């Protein structure tokens, strides 16, 4: 029956894997030790689900500022599990859905996962799934309650499930009483140190000339980005950094200055 | 006609028993005197319903922090009654239900129970049945009113019903005017003493070596978990404790440290 | 045509009488002078409707804390009228009704009553009919407006109607502007004196031995229940008292202690 | 075409007249000069509509505390006009109506009136038509807007319309911006002087013996009802007074005391 | 194609003209210089639309206290344009319309106007079109957004449109962010000077005898209406004044006193 | 397949281009350096989308006071890209749309764009698309969430998209949590310096005689418009300025005075 289950889930397998790959299009740059730590933690949770009979359900929350790389890291963890059922639940696929259509789509994914002996579901951008907006605040209580129940509902006997959710509004989840639904939380920090930034610049080959890079780094130090405090120091998500890098690339003659200006304008 | 009634309810009997069993998959660990006290209280209410003609309806509320074992204990009480009609009303079975579908499902269960001479209904996680969220706050008034009426409505002549509800948000029930619907309340506390914790660790055989266990307990004392005050002392639900235990098991070489770290990180 | 009217209403008569009887299953215990006063007042209103041509519509509100016996007393008053049309409007019969279904059911009852020369309608637990909850507060304005209009609408020529409503949330009715709909109000108090309590204990024969009863009463005096102030003194509805009595009965060996403990735990 | 119009409206005429009569079942007791003043004012507005071409639409608001006689006086004014179209718009006839059904019923009445050369519409208990409740506050904005537009909309050429509305919540109408819809307002006061009260008692023949009446009046003076200030003095609507009178009549032996007690209990 | 367009719009032309005429049934009394100023301003905007190619859309707001004559003046301006498409959008024609029916009716009118080379639309009583009420406040955001878009949407090439809106709640329009939709605003003041009042009285021939008029004017001066400050001085819309005049006419013997009393009672 | 894609999108191309042209009917007047700066920035973003593979999605927000020229500038940028898919999403085309119809129309446009290798979408007047009103505030959360998801959703492999949104309520977008959806923001300022104003007057040839222009400019200086502070100084959107110019043109004899008066009346 383990074999039957495997058969049943195989078709979904391929599709979802592509979905997961698509959100890591720009790859994972190992710009800091924390990147590796996060991925290793993910591995441990994957192992727990695979092996422990007492915890057939484990749920994990990746949280951090906008663009810090949560989606890409969650997808990477999920992919590395190689579980027979892997699925991405994303607001991107629910544009124009009514509340009940969202609930149906989400429950369908969970119901499908209960057919596989081992499953991983990435629930991306919880705040968008909830249609959250700070004015009011407004959100879909229907979707919220669905997630809270599904995140606590044990899979049927012999089935195991890892849930990896992401959010850039963790305090809101606490206000909503949703934080207690998670077995564990991992913070995905923004880039806050110049060496990490330099690592990224090298990786994406923004400057052809190493001297140009060096000059740029010096300009950044002068601009105060070397300072370690939160307010004045460097504080940028990898996603936004990659975007700024590409803008700077448009003016090849003064790439460095453009980059520094953009970082200062944030 | 008592016999007819028995016949009618028998089919439901088997199904529900399984449902009740499923929520006690990890069994009941008797880690503290309070566990036995709670179960004995439950027994008394079962007896009252069985014997007193003046109180054909008795309702009981099990409340306590998240993961303290409310659902497992309520199910254990219900099972031990061996009433011909036993049923679990759980949000897990109502994912994606509209308010009126919930109301229909709940009233159906109560209407069914009125056909059995003796019935017990576990109404699990009242806050989830109510779609409660603290922002707003929002909740389904329709479901709330239904529960309030059903919890006060006498079964027909000759029928008797025990209602066991659970919640981790007891103060909210008071705010909602729902507390007065219960004949009695029982608190299910978290684990707050080291001997209770040790009892659990022994039962689940986290450490193979008794010396390892002893060392871990000493580390916990040093970490301040021996203190008896609420803020710094130990304060963890059995459910979460079992989850942390399984995580710790993933790193066999330093299980104890991992456990202590996790407890400190709460 | 008086005879026709009588014929038309007869069928409803029998049914409703049973409904009224069912809510007085435990009878009326005359534990205090106030019980008789209330019932005599009810008789006067019944007489007024029967005899005065200027007031073909009289409405009465029974209010008091939860479980003080409002429903049983209202039903007793209605029954003693022996009017050809007697009906109980109760939330128990409207579980899962939408607002408009409630309104339809209520108006139907009033429309039916207009066919009988003499009618009495018990409108039980107004707060539940209104789906009232203090958070918000929320309630069905549709049902409220329906009640306000029906409670003020004169029956057709030659028809007379007595309305007896009950509530445990009288201040709310005032806030809602509903209080002015009543011609008169009667308060149903909780039991607050030890002799009344003793009267009940004797009536339900909780203790076999009069000495046991005497001892229990002394324990209650020592526990401060003899004091006459609202905060520390005795203050319990007859309904809850009967429930506590039955719980105490479960432990025959120490019925008295159990009773006192329960009363102190309120 | 004036004749045609008259023909068209005649059928409605009879029906409405009965409706108007029904709300004055207990007649008009001329207990005070103010009663005559109000009725004479009404006559002037009737005349204005009948004769002035510049004001084919006149709207009047009768306001005063609950039970002060607004409905009966409005109906009396309307009846005395003897206009070919006379109609009562009352919440009594709209129990269970949805907002749009109410709007349809109201607009229908106005549309019908536009066919008669001379019309009068009594819009009774505006606050009930609006489903107004002070908690929230809540009300039907749809009905409100309909009334505001209809109260300002000129009838077609050659048609004239008098609108008489009643309310016991005049300040609310101001808050709602509805007050400005009226050309004129008349206050219907409660009974606040003992001679007026005595006039009523005589008219309804509560006491057979004039000495009994005299004694009762003395008791009322002693009870402070002779004082002219609003807080302690007499302050009761004619409708409630008639109700209290009938209650008192139930105990023939001490009618006077009963009456005084009831008045003091308000 | 200009000719074609003209043909298409002609039928609507006649109808609308009648509608416009109806709201000026009592004519325009030139009681003050400001009346002429307003009408001349209107003429300038009509000319701008007719001649300037850069501004094919001009929108104008007439605002002032209730009854100051806004509707009559807006209709007069529109009529004097003699544009081939002239239309009155009025709440009077939308009684009982749902929000979407209102939106449909309004957009239809604008869509029709886009077929005429030159159009004028009077949007009367914006606050009533919006179902505005100050409690809440509540209003139809759907209608508001429709108006805001239509008031800013350029007619198709070669078409020109003048929009004249009226309101007695101009501050509300600002709160709603609606004020910025207008190219220009004109205030329609109430009558605040005695000569203007006298002009009206003469025009409507309230008094047959000039001496009676003179006496009345003196009484008004004595009553303080000659003062120029807003609080105590004269302050009345032409519409209400005409209504008071007609009431006064009902008592031919003391017309003057009646008028003064009415003005003081405001 | 690039060729196929091009074929598919061609038809939409022509239509949209016209739409874009229509909103620039009055052309772009280069009254200040900032106009050229804005247009050059736009060109850089167009280039980035065309060339960088790492950023297939770039989103830009043009914000500034009402009438400052945002729509015209956004349309100009889009047109100059000459991408095979160019589209204007405007509230003008959604009058009377329900929330879900809006969402459908918007998502359709984005879905269509995903078929073209290179696309630009102008999302005009975001606040109007959101049905935003400051009272409440109220807005369509459904539309907001749709925009937030679509503005962050990567086009499929090999497709690239530039989004240019406009708003006059930028602070609101921040409150709504919408600001973070943009890669970059550009402010479109009002005209605040007299030389810029003069440039416009010359361009539109308001005065035939240069001396008249000179005089007018002197009057403006005297009126304090030369001052550079925000409160008293000049501060007017190009759109409103063009409207005032046309009004002034109606009185050829004193165009200058009229213009100055209008500017002072703002
Ligand atoms: N170490 C890294 N961790 C995460 N993402 C990385 C890393 N290195 C490069 N990337 C790239 O950076 C981008 C991160 O974007 P991603 O969408 O994952 O961020 P996010 O935090 O989910 O953003 P949002 O808050 O908008 O949801 C991806 O394109 C990814 O390929
Ligand atoms: N003494 C005990 N009491 C309760 N549960 C126990 C006990 N010993 C072991 N368990 C196990 O601990 C778990 C308790 O989880 P349960 O779902 O009952 O907690 P809960 O309080 O209902 O949680 P939640 O607040 O999330 O609803 C179950 O798996 C149960 O088998
Ligand atoms: N004197 C009494 N008055 C009222 N009820 C009595 C009396 N004596 C005994 N009873 C019994 O007590 C119970 C009173 O319950 P009842 O439902 O009438 O209370 P209630 O005030 O309506 O409660 P709730 O507030 O929950 O609606 C009934 O079972 C009734 O038979
Ligand atoms: N002078 C009077 N004016 C008005 N009603 C009178 C008068 N004399 C006797 N009545 C009687 O008093 C009653 C007044 O009741 P009515 O319904 O008109 O009061 P109301 O102010 O409309 O009450 P509510 O505030 O409940 O609407 C009627 O039965 C009427 O026949
Ligand atoms: N100078 C005037 N200006 C406007 N209306 C006048 C004037 N002279 C006489 N009238 C008459 O006065 C009345 C003005 O009423 P109108 O409905 O236009 O006022 P309004 O300000 O629109 O009222 P509301 O605030 O109720 O909408 C009309 O009957 C009109 O014929
Ligand atoms: N330099 C300029 N920049 C922008 N628009 C200009 C410029 N010069 C002339 N115009 C004209 O000014 C008008 C600007 O109006 P536009 O609708 O673009 O303003 P907007 O800021 O979008 O207004 P709104 O805030 O109402 O949306 C257009 O008619 C345009 O042709
Ligand atoms: Mg993400
Ligand atoms: Mg539970
Ligand atoms: Mg009751
Ligand atoms: Mg009335
Ligand atoms: Mg008007
Ligand atoms: Mg714009």
């Amino acid at each position: 029956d383990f074999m039957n289950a495997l058969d049943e889930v195989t078709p979904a397998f391929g599709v979802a894997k592509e979905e997961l790959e698509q959100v890591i299009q720009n790859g994972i740059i190992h710009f800091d030790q924390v990147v590796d730590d996060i991925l290793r933690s993910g591995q441990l949770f994957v192992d727990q689900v695979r092996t422990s009979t007492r915890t057939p359900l484990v749920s994990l929350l990746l949280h951090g500022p906008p663009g810090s790389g949560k989606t890409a890291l969650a997808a990477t963890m999920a992919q590395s599990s190689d579980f027979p059922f892997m699925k991405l639940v994303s607001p991107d696929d629910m544009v124009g859905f009514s509340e009940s259509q969202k609930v149906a789509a989400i429950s369908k994914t969970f119901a499908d996962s209960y057919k596989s002996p081992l499953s991983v579901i990435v629930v991306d951008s919880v705040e968008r799934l909830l249609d959250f907006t700070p004015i009011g605040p407004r959100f879909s209580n229907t979707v919220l309650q669905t997630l809270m129940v599904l995140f606590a509902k044990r899979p049927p006997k012999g089935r195991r499930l890892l849930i990896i959710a992401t959010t850039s509004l963790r305090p809101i989840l606490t206000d909503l009483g949703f934080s207690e639904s998670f077995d564990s939380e991992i913070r995905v920090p923004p880039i806050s140190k110049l060496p990490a930034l330099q690592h990224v610049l090298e990786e994406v080959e923004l400057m052809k000339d190493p001297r140009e890079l060096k000059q740029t780094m010096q300009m950044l130090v002068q601009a105060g980005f070397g300072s370690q405090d939160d307010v004045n120091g460097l504080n940028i998500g990898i996603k936004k950094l990659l975007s700024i890098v590409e803008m700077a690339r448009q003016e090849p003659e003064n790439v460095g200055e453009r980059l520094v200006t953009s970082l200062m304008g944030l």
Side-chain angles (χ1 to χ4, degrees), chain A:
Chain A
D1 120 344
F2 187 91
M3 280 303 113
N4 276 344
L6 259 182
D7 281 3
E8 244 179 295
V9 295
T10 313
F13 172 75
V15 172
K17 189 140 198 184
E18 262 180 37
E19 276 178 10
L20 291 173
E21 262 157 26
Q22 194 177 340
V23 299
I24 334 177
Q25 273 187 8
N26 285 334
I28 299 291
I29 302 173
H30 293 256
F31 54 76
D32 192 290
Q33 174 63 25
V34 75
V35 175
D36 303 280
D37 290 352
I38 292 172
L39 290 173
R40 214 187 38 231
S41 280
Q43 194 54 48
L44 278 177
F45 287 106
V46 166
D47 292 346
Q48 181 181 353
V49 170
R50 201 193 315 272
T51 60
S52 159
T53 55
R54 273 208 193 75
T55 49
L57 177 71
V58 173
S59 58
L60 183 61
L61 178 66
L62 294 199
H63 61 90
S68 58
K70 302 170 296 295
T71 303
L73 289 171
T76 304
M77 286 177 189
Q79 263 192 329
S80 76
S81 78
D82 236 355
F83 284 177
F85 183 96
M86 307 196 291
K87 191 86 188 170
L88 175 67
V89 170
S90 162
D92 283 12
D93 306 322
M94 301 192 191
V95 171
F97 276 32
S98 66
E99 283 190 304
S100 57
Q101 284 174 313
K102 280 194 181 176
V103 166
I106 295 170
S107 341
K108 175 75 167 56
T109 301
F110 277 79
D112 286 352
S113 81
Y114 298 151
K115 297 182 193 147
S116 162
L118 284 172
S119 304
V120 58
I121 300 178
V122 173
V123 179
D124 196 32
S125 274
V126 169
E127 64 274 23
R128 272 301 73 66
L129 288 174
L130 295 179
D131 286 343
F132 183 84
T133 188
I135 293 193
R138 301 198 204 165
F139 57 92
S140 164
N141 193 26
T142 307
V143 174
L144 173 64
Q145 299 294 334
T146 299
L147 291 180
M148 286 173 87
V149 171
L150 289 174
F151 279 39
K153 178 176 176 173
R154 289 193 150 222
K157 238 177 183 157
R159 310 306 193 201
R160 297 179 189 175
L161 171 60
L162 173 63
I163 301 168
I164 311 179
T166 77
T167 187
S168 57
L169 293 179
R170 183 176 163 285
I172 297 302
L173 299 202
T174 303
D175 293 352
L176 292 168
F178 191 16
S179 297
E180 291 179 350
S181 298
F182 296 96
D183 290 303
S184 208
E185 300 189 355
I186 296 177
R187 177 170 147 83
V188 181
I191 294 172
S192 61
K193 295 186 221 131
L194 284 180
L197 177 70
Q198 182 168 345
H199 186 130
V200 173
L201 296 185
E202 282 164 358
E203 195 94 18
V204 300
E205 298 174 2
L206 178 61
M207 286 100 173
K208 266 132 227 163
D209 187 343
R211 274 173 309 179
E212 210 183 332
L213 174 59
K214 207 176 163 189
Q215 270 176 21
T216 306
M217 295 314 297
Q218 281 169 351
M219 280 159 65
L220 287 168
V221 170
Q222 274 157 28
F225 285 118
S227 124
Q228 232 33 262
D229 70 285
D230 263 24
V231 189
N232 303 310
L234 188 65
N235 192 307
I236 184 169
I238 175 72
K239 191 173 164 189
K240 185 128 214 164
L241 177 58
L242 291 177
S243 164
I244 286 177
V245 161
E246 298 309 303
M247 285 187 215
R249 230 191 269 276
Q250 296 314 307
E251 294 182 280
E253 61 291 354
N254 54 359
V255 160
E257 271 173 50
R258 190 73 203 264
L259 185 83
V260 176
T261 317
S262 292
L263 284 170
M264 291 175 68
L266 289 183

